[in-house]
Amino acid sequence: MSQPTKSIFTRLVWGAGILSVILLIGLWWTTHQTVKATLEEGAQTQVDIDIAGLVDIYATNGRAELAQRIADRVAVIPMEGNTPHYYLADETGARLAGDLARWPELDPYVSESGLISIGENSQGFARAVQLDEGLRLVVARGMADSEPLLQRIGLVFLFGGAVLVALVVLLGRLAAARLGRRIEQINAAFRGPHEETLSALARPDEGDEIDELTAHSGAALARVRNLMEAYRDTSDQLAHEIRTPLQHLDNRLVKALSVNPKGEVAQKLIEAREEIRRLVQTLESLLDIASSKARKGEMAGLKEFDLSAMVLRICELYDGSAEETGHHFDWNVAEGIQFQGEEWQLSRVLTNLLDNAFKYVPTGGHVEVSLSQQANGPVLTVRDDGPGVPEADRTRIFERFYRSGSADGEVHGSGLGLALAHAIAERHGLQLSVEDSEVGALFRLGPPS
C-alpha cells in the first residue's frame, strides 16, 4: 500500500525527521559552546597562573629581571598554537619586553580581561594588570588550536547526524507503512464489510492496541452486517406477506369485472383496484426509504457512472410527456460528469422531481432541468414556474406522508415521493433542498452547502 501524502503516518515520519534535525542542531550548538567555553576557561587559568608567577618575579627581583624572564619565554616558545604572549610597558606605553605588537584595549587598573587579536588570523585570552605606577603588563594565551577542534566536532555532528536522521526516517517509514497496512485493513472492512475483509480483521498480528481496535471493528461490522441482513430478510418477508394477499384480492376484482357488472358496481371495483395499487406502491416506497436510510454513508454497491448521460436519457423520455400535457420542457446538461453511486436510485430522484413538477405546474407552464459541475461536486436543479412551495413547507415536504396543498387546495400523491428522494440523496452523501426562487419552485440536488 502506498503511503499518501496526507497520511498521518507520513506526517509523523516527517515530524520525527525534522525533530531529529532540530535536536542535533541544538546538541551541536551546546557542544560547540561548551568546548569553546572550556578552552577559554583553560586559557584564563593559564594566564592567571602566568601573571601570578611574573608578579612574584617582579616583586622579588625588579623590573629588569621581569623583562629578561619575559624575553626568555618569548625566545623559547614560538608564536603559534596555545602559546603565551606578553606586553610589558612603562608609564609612556613604550614596550619594554614581549611579542605583542601593541597594547590591547584592556584597562590594567581594573585587571580587565577578554579576547584580543594575536597576529592576523588568531585570537587569545588576555589580562592586563598594573604592576606599579610606571609599569603595566599584559599576558595572553593564544587559542588558535580551538578552531580545528571545533571544526572536527562540527563535521562529526554533520555526517553522524545525517546518518542518524536517515535511519530515523527510514525506520519511521517502515514502521508507518506496516502500521498503515494494518489500519487499511480496518478501512477496507468499513468500505466493504464482506466475508474476506472481515476475516482479515479476525487474524491477530501483534496483540497490541491496533489488534484490539481491529477486533472490535470486525465484531462491530459483523453485527451491523447481520442486522442489515436480518432487516432485509424481514422486510422482504413482510412485503411478500402483504403483497401476496393484495394480489389475490386484485385477481378476484379482475374476475368480478370480467362478468360485466352494472356501471356503478364496475366503477367501485375499478376504484378498489386503484387503492390496491396505491397500497402496494406505498409499501414499496416505505421499504425503499428505510433501506436508503439504513445504508446512509455506506460505500458498498456504489460505482462510478456517467451522470450526464443518465440525466439526458430521462429528460428525453419526459420531453414526449411534456408535449402531451402542454408543458414547456427544457434542459441544460453539462457533458462528461461522472459520479459514484447507484444509477437506478439517483434516476428515481430525478423522476420524482419531474413528476411533481408536471403535476403541480399548470398547462402551459415551464419546467427546466440543469446539471453542472461545481467545485465541490455535481449540482442538479429542477426549476418550474408553478405555484411554488410555501416557505413553511420547504423542510416538511421531505417528511413521510406529508402532503402540501396545491394552489387550488387539492392534495396530490401519498407524500412519499420526496421523502424517498431525500433518503436516496442522503444515502449518496448529497443534499436535496428547496431553494429560493422568484417564480415557482427550485429543487437542488448536490453536495451539502
Side-chain angles (χ1 to χ4, degrees), residues 36 38-54 73-74 77-87 99-100 104 106 113-119 122-128 138-146:
K36 189 175 180 181
T38 301
L39 293 175
E40 289 182 3
E41 289 175 2
Q44 180 179 354
T45 301
Q46 292 174 345
V47 166
D48 291 341
I49 293 173
D50 202 0
I51 287 177
L54 293 174
R73 294 186 182 186
V74 172
I77 303 176
M79 189 176 175
E80 61 181 7
N82 189 15
T83 57
H85 305 281
Y86 306 93
Y87 194 109
D99 56 350
L100 293 176
L106 298 175
S113 63
L115 294 176
I116 66 171
S117 296
I118 301 175
S122 62
Q123 283 188 326
F125 179 84
R127 183 183 297 279
V138 168
V139 178
R141 284 278 177 170
M143 297 178 59
D145 290 344
S146 64

Side-chain angles (χ1 to χ4, degrees), residues 5 13 56 62 172 183 197 202-203 221-222 240 268 291 303 331 381 415 419 424:
T5 304
V13 170
D56 185 63
I183 297 297
T197 56
R203 295 192 295 269
L221 288 172
H240 176 74
K268 295 296 183 182
S291 176
K303 61 180 181 180
W331 59 87
T381 60
I424 293 174

Side-chain angles (χ1 to χ4, degrees), residues 11-26:
R11 293 198 292 268
L12 286 174
V13 170
W14 282 112
I18 293 172
L19 181 60
S20 300
V21 171
I22 294 174
L23 290 176
L24 280 170
I25 293 174

Side-chain angles (χ1 to χ4, degrees), residues 338-377:
Q338 301 292 314
F339 188 75
Q340 188 173 14
E342 290 182 303
E343 182 175 359
W344 71 277
Q345 285 278 47
L346 288 172
S347 66
R348 297 181 70 181
V349 177
L350 180 55
T351 54
N352 276 334
L353 294 177
L354 289 176
D355 285 341
N356 278 344
F358 287 118
K359 180 192 300 183
Y360 283 94
V361 175
T363 301
H366 189 89
V367 178
E368 179 183 358
V369 173
S370 174
L371 175 66
S372 61
Q373 180 68 50
Q374 304 295 330
N376 55 347

Side-chain angles (χ1 to χ4, degrees), residues 28 31-32 148-161:
W28 165 81
T31 304
H32 182 277
L149 176 60
L150 294 176
Q151 290 177 1
R152 285 195 295 271
I153 292 175
L155 290 176
V156 169
F157 271 95
L158 177 63
F159 291 106

Side-chain angles (χ1 to χ4, degrees), residues 124-448:
F125 179 84
R127 183 183 297 279
V129 293
Q130 189 76 28
L131 299 178
D132 59 29
E133 287 299 327
L135 191 64
R136 51 187 175 174
L137 172 66
V138 168
V139 178
R141 284 278 177 170
M143 297 178 59
D145 290 344
S146 64
E147 289 303 321
L149 176 60
L150 294 176
Q151 290 177 1
R152 285 195 295 271
I153 292 175
L155 290 176
V156 169
F157 271 95
L158 177 63
F159 291 106
V163 173
L164 176 62
V165 172
L167 287 175
V168 168
V169 173
L170 177 61
L171 294 177
R173 288 286 294 177
L174 293 176
R178 188 171 180 278
L179 187 58
R181 284 193 295 269
R182 298 170 67 188
I183 297 297
E184 176 60 22
Q185 289 182 337
I186 301 176
N187 289 329
F190 273 102
R191 287 193 294 266
H194 308 303
E195 194 66 36
E196 180 180 354
T197 56
L198 291 180
S199 62
L201 299 184
R203 295 192 295 269
D205 189 10
E206 299 289 341
D208 54 16
E209 295 87 347
I210 299 298
D211 278 335
E212 186 178 2
L213 173 63
T214 300
H216 289 325
S217 300
L221 288 172
R223 286 196 297 270
V224 171
R225 189 185 66 169
N226 293 335
L227 287 173
M228 287 299 300
E229 290 178 353
Y231 158 75
R232 292 190 182 100
D233 292 341
T234 304
S235 299
D236 293 342
Q237 186 66 26
L238 177 63
H240 176 74
E241 293 296 331
I242 295 178
R243 190 183 293 112
T244 299
L246 290 175
Q247 288 177 346
H248 289 320
L249 180 58
D250 187 62
N251 290 334
R252 291 183 181 182
L253 293 176
V254 171
K255 291 180 180 179
L257 286 170
S258 65
V259 298
N260 297 321
K262 294 182 180 181
E264 185 176 350
V265 175
Q267 182 64 30
K268 295 296 183 182
L269 293 176
I270 292 173
E271 291 176 358
R273 290 197 67 198
E274 291 177 353
E275 288 295 330
I276 291 173
R277 284 196 293 271
R278 278 196 290 269
L279 283 174
V280 172
Q281 184 179 6
T282 299
L283 174 63
E284 292 176 346
S285 296
L286 287 172
L287 291 175
D288 288 339
I289 291 172
S291 176
S292 296
K293 287 184 174 295
R295 294 187 298 162
K296 180 180 178 180
E298 181 182 326
M299 299 299 294
L302 303 183
K303 61 180 181 180
E304 190 169 287
F305 69 96
D306 192 335
L307 182 62
S308 300
M310 183 204 78
V311 175
L312 282 173
R313 184 172 62 254
I314 294 176
C315 288
E316 290 171 355
L317 289 175
Y318 273 81
D319 189 34
S321 301
E323 292 180 0
E324 294 177 1
T325 57
H327 292 93
H328 301 284
F329 182 44
D330 297 319
W331 59 87
N332 181 18
V333 179
E335 297 181 355
I337 297 179
Q338 301 292 314
F339 188 75
Q340 188 173 14
E342 290 182 303
E343 182 175 359
W344 71 277
Q345 285 278 47
L346 288 172
S347 66
R348 297 181 70 181
V349 177
L350 180 55
T351 54
N352 276 334
L353 294 177
L354 289 176
D355 285 341
N356 278 344
F358 287 118
K359 180 192 300 183
Y360 283 94
V361 175
T363 301
H366 189 89
V367 178
E368 179 183 358
V369 173
S370 174
L371 175 66
S372 61
Q373 180 68 50
Q374 304 295 330
N376 55 347
V379 175
L380 174 70
T381 60
V382 177
R383 182 193 303 269
D384 64 60
D385 58 359
V389 180
E391 188 171 353
D393 293 339
R394 290 186 180 181
T395 55
R396 299 196 62 193
I397 58 174
F398 298 113
E399 299 175 3
R400 285 175 291 183
F401 301 112
Y402 183 80
R403 294 177 294 185
S404 177
S406 62
D408 55 4
E410 295 180 357
V411 177
H412 299 262
S414 61
L416 292 175
L418 288 178
L420 175 59
H422 191 267
I424 293 174
E426 287 186 334
R427 185 260 188 278
H428 288 81
L430 302 175
Q431 181 182 37
L432 179 62
S433 59
V434 182
E435 305 293 325
D436 293 330
S437 179
E438 295 182 0
V439 179
L442 172 60
F443 285 84
R444 176 190 181 275
L445 175 67

